[in-house]
């Protein structure tokens, strides 16, 4: 996500700070900061906030069970998110482009938890939507994650349609 914002957003700024804290190695403090943000937003608060907080909180969990809970929250929140709301934060965001990553994260966590059927379901959803991503570094990372999970499940990765061009 670009750092350019259309509208300043204190929750997104605090979330980005927590994510950087986690990337710097202080995962416990980052996890606690994101959990506090989640509590302040609430289960029915702003969908962009819920989706983003849950998406990043999942990466900081100590157990795959907790990771799955947060990944499921992120996917549930995205169903309430509109392009109009996302573009108030940054004018380049499209909600449908969130789906490949959200489904990939669920597929990977379910695979690691031993839930092959659920993993395959979410991997199929990620594969079906990955064409929405451009052929940039981020899109390539998601495509590589999809291929890795197909291989880990003993599947051949389906041939991908060309990346989405804007």
């Amino acid at each position: 996500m670009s750092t350019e914002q259309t509208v300043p957003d204190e929750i997104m700024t605090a979330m980005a700070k927590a994510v950087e804290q986690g990337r710097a190695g202080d995962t416990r403090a980052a996890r606690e900061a994101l959990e506090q943000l989640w509590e302040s937003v609430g289960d029915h608060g702003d969908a962009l906030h819920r989706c983003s907080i849950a998406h990043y909180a999942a990466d900081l969990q100590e157990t795959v069970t907790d990771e799955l809970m947060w990944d499921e929250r992120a996917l549930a929140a995205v169903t309430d998110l509109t392009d109009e709301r996302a573009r108030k934060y940054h004018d380049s965001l499209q909600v449908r482009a969130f789906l490949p990553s959200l489904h990939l994260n669920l597929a990977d966590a379910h695979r690691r938890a031993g839930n092959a059927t659920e993993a395959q379901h979410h991997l199929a959803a990620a594969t079906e939507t990955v064409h929405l991503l451009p052929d940039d570094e981020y899109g390539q990372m998601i495509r590589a994650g999809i291929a890795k999970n197909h291989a880990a499940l003993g599947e051949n990765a389906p041939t991908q349609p060309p990346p989405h061009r804007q």
Side-chain angles (χ1 to χ4, degrees), residues 89-103:
Y89 175 67
H90 192 279
D91 60 10
S92 72
L93 294 179
Q94 294 180 346
V95 174
R96 63 189 179 145
F98 289 28
L99 296 174
S101 175
L102 296 176
H103 281 292

Side-chain angles (χ1 to χ4, degrees), residues 1 23 101 104 130 133-146 163-165:
M1 181 182 312
R23 289 180 180 157
S101 175
L104 173 59
V130 73
L133 299 178
D135 190 21
D136 60 7
E137 187 176 324
Y138 176 75
Q140 291 168 9
M141 177 185 72
I142 300 300
R143 286 178 182 85
I146 290 171
H164 176 67
R165 298 284 179 207

